[in-house]
Amino acid sequence: MSSKFNTNLPFFTFILILFFSACLSDDSPATPVNAGAACNLAPDPIFCKQVLPPNKTDSIYNYSRFSFAKSLLNAQKFANLINQYLSRPKTLTSAALQALRDCQFLCNLNIEFLIASSNVVNSTTNLLDPQTELIHTLLSALLTNQQTCLESLQSSAQAWSTKNGITSPLFNGSKLYSVSLALFTKAWVPNKKKKSSKNSFVSMRVPQVKDKKKKKKPPHHGSRSLLFHEVDLDGDSGLPLKMSDEKRHAFGRRKLLNDSSDPVLVANYVVVSQDGSGNFTNITDAINSAPNNNNGSNGYYLIYVTEGVYEEYVNIPSKKMYIIMIGDGINQTVITGNRSVGDGWTTFNSATFIVTGQGFVGISLSIRNTAGAVKGQAVALRNGADLSTFYDCSFEGYQDTLYTHSLRQFYRECDVYGTVDFIFGNAAVVFQNCNIYSRVPIHGQSNTITAQGRTDPNQNTGTSMLNCSLLAGADLAASPGAAITYLGRPWKMYSRTVIMQSFMDSLIDPTGWMPWNGTFAIDTLYYGEYANRGPGSDTSKRVNWPGVHPVMNRTDAANYTVSNFLLGDNWLPPTGVPYFSGLL
């Protein structure tokens, strides 16, 4: 067909041709196209053409599946490469070993994510919305894991000196995963997310108990199906607990759900108490006691951590799924450590508390990193657990306090303390009703509350705050001129942060957002504000970067709510944690 229209055709026929041409330009993912046309969807079309088979026409669905297979092969080869370096530990410095172990851990996660994603897309073209969201999340995390590996390598001079052997396949892997993400997004991700019913969520979830009339006590033998707020530790529960009468009474009357009518199903539970009155005296042993690969169908594994200061580095690995950990309250149950980059740790492994086990719920805990501002990056919590929730917790540190690393996360009624980039990472995360406290940093530093790390335009990640309070900590309130405080700065090219219906105190600088380095990312970031209040919420002097939206409309703001951004209506109810589905 000629590239020009025949202008001698009747007008109506001419309009029909225009219409059908427009339709063909937006082909269905099932329509065969050549590799060049498919690669126009990717951020790097030239690299994409090197990945897809040449001289062939196929559907976007099949190109996507092909790229998944290539990505999995790449991840496996990279894992072998890392293992080769680690097999010669005497040739490496401790810093290089740490960096390579970070990469090993992250690459193994990528292999898991790619296998899980491939199994789904290879079986059907008709994905449910929750299936689509899950795979979109896993593919977004691939790139985050690659970037984190690179950052750990950059922190080690020796590992970085091997860049020809490590960083080249690392960069190529990132570009390949970007292709897979782009093709999947085009083939399966709808332009606008659709709400799903609660029960359609395909990832592991905990069922709710329908019969709330009868109270259930745990049986003496076999599995224990408990309703947490109906747990009776005063009588003949038959559970292996050694608790004082006072502790038993306090725990027995405690209610997880104050605002919800649905109980939380608990399959089994243990108690951690430093005085020896529980099942364990440390948290790590309690975590080790949890079953591996619990799918949540019979309920959560509950770990109750009694009041005390636990000087312990806690790690909940990916095989420990659907754990609820409950303490006695903020500043009552305290988990503390002091690892930092200043003392030779990578940022990734400086965390006091690490969680990657899906479905984790943390309640009424304080998690601290006491390294101090002078030690640089020092993480209190690193969260890479999908469908994870924290409620009534505090996270205390200075630089890089809360590492919302990847996947889907929710925080409700939590306190976060820090200075530089103290809420950072590349998860899809929503904060609700949280207090965000800026502290006094090192002299000459500015405070930046967020540093969101989205690296690809197709990632479904970002940081959203709803009905939160952005405040000065006690030290900064006493010395209000000690530091300028900004809402955030763009850590990565497609950084995305929105703050909605929140209170901003006078500590927030009128310009709002701080540059990272010159004009880096100011065109490609997305920073939004909607219906905020307080003296720091005046947007009239905000920076005029193209990516800044100081006055979002309600429709745009709604995209970053629990319901739309996290599809949280599908997985938050079983946790028992209260939440707002949409805007206030």
Side-chain angles (χ1 to χ4, degrees), residues 6-317:
N6 183 348
T7 55
N8 292 324
L9 291 173
F11 178 75
F12 182 70
T13 305
F14 179 70
I15 293 298
L16 286 176
I17 293 174
L18 282 175
F19 173 77
F20 285 111
S21 297
C23 292
L24 290 171
S25 68
D26 187 22
D27 290 331
S28 161
T31 302
V33 296
N34 61 43
C39 283
N40 288 332
L41 307 170
D44 188 344
I46 295 175
F47 180 84
C48 175
K49 291 176 185 178
Q50 298 171 12
V51 172
L52 300 185
N55 305 320
K56 182 181 179 181
T57 59
D58 211 333
S59 69
I60 303 296
Y61 289 126
N62 285 335
Y63 283 132
S64 179
R65 296 180 179 116
F66 180 84
S67 72
F68 275 38
K70 294 272 284 189
S71 292
L72 178 58
L73 181 62
N74 177 275
Q76 291 167 335
K77 287 183 176 179
F78 188 68
N80 291 336
L81 177 63
I82 296 298
N83 291 338
Q84 289 175 22
Y85 280 100
L86 288 172
S87 68
R88 304 188 296 272
K90 293 182 179 180
T91 66
L92 301 167
T93 64
S94 59
L97 276 170
Q98 281 197 56
L100 290 167
R101 285 169 181 158
D102 288 353
C103 290
Q104 182 185 50
F105 170 80
L106 293 160
C107 189
N108 287 336
L109 281 181
N110 281 353
I111 291 170
E112 290 180 19
F113 294 167
L114 281 164
I115 290 173
S117 300
S118 297
N119 287 341
V120 175
V121 299
N122 288 338
S123 63
T124 182
T125 57
N126 298 315
L127 300 183
L128 299 172
D129 285 353
Q131 288 178 306
T132 301
E133 186 73 4
L134 173 62
I135 297 174
H136 197 182
T137 297
L138 296 180
L139 296 180
S140 296
L142 295 181
L143 289 167
T144 303
N145 291 343
Q146 292 287 104
Q147 184 63 37
T148 305
C149 170
L150 177 62
E151 288 156 3
S152 290
L153 291 173
Q154 289 173 328
S155 70
S156 166
Q158 182 176 346
W160 185 245
S161 69
T162 62
K163 60 184 178 181
N164 291 332
I166 294 180
T167 59
S168 180
L170 182 62
F171 280 122
N172 285 337
S174 294
K175 290 194 288 186
L176 178 55
Y177 301 160
S178 180
V179 170
S180 292
L181 176 59
L183 293 176
F184 176 81
T185 301
K186 176 61 178 178
W188 276 284
V189 177
N191 291 329
K192 191 172 184 179
K193 293 181 182 178
K194 295 177 286 184
K195 293 184 179 180
S196 306
S197 64
K198 287 183 182 179
N199 297 326
S200 68
F201 192 67
V202 296
S203 190
M204 300 302 181
R205 63 185 297 273
V206 180
Q208 298 179 22
V209 177
K210 295 181 179 179
D211 184 4
K212 293 176 284 187
K213 295 180 180 179
K214 296 181 180 180
K215 290 192 174 185
K216 299 182 181 180
K217 290 187 178 182
H220 289 266
H221 305 286
S223 64
R224 306 181 180 100
S225 296
L226 311 178
L227 304 184
F228 178 60
H229 69 291
E230 297 176 357
V231 171
D232 179 10
L233 298 182
D234 291 313
D236 57 342
S237 66
L239 297 174
L241 299 175
K242 299 176 181 178
M243 303 177 68
S244 67
D245 291 340
E246 181 181 358
K247 290 286 186 183
R248 185 183 295 115
H249 178 64
F251 184 58
R253 71 170 184 262
R254 187 179 179 85
K255 287 189 177 182
L256 173 61
L257 304 179
N258 295 320
D259 302 318
S260 172
S261 60
D262 292 323
V264 172
L265 187 65
V266 174
N268 204 346
Y269 67 93
V270 293
V271 176
V272 180
S273 182
Q274 291 176 323
D275 64 8
S277 62
N279 304 91
F280 303 100
T281 58
N282 66 76
I283 299 169
T284 297
D285 286 346
I287 294 167
N288 291 338
S289 74
N292 292 336
N293 302 314
N294 171 30
N295 64 14
S297 60
N298 292 321
Y300 287 94
Y301 189 82
L302 171 62
I303 299 174
Y304 169 49
V305 185
T306 63
E307 180 180 355
V309 177
Y310 295 80
E311 296 181 2
E312 187 175 350
Y313 293 97
V314 174
N315 188 350
I316 301 175

Side-chain angles (χ1 to χ4, degrees), residues 438-447 472-485 506-509:
S438 295
R439 306 173 108 171
V440 174
I442 297 173
H443 180 70
Q445 284 185 333
S446 296
N447 287 331
D475 57 347
L476 187 58
S479 303
I484 299 172
T485 299
S506 57
L507 78 159
I508 302 301
D509 188 81

Side-chain angles (χ1 to χ4, degrees), residues 565-578:
F565 196 48
L566 300 181
L567 289 185
D569 293 329
N570 300 319
W571 58 272
L572 277 173
T575 69
V577 173

Side-chain angles (χ1 to χ4, degrees), residues 338-361:
N338 62 2
R339 291 174 177 170
S340 68
V341 169
D343 284 335
W345 296 88
T346 62
T347 302
F348 189 69
N349 262 328
S350 68
T352 300
F353 196 112
I354 296 169
V355 55
T356 52
Q358 178 176 297
F360 178 81
V361 182

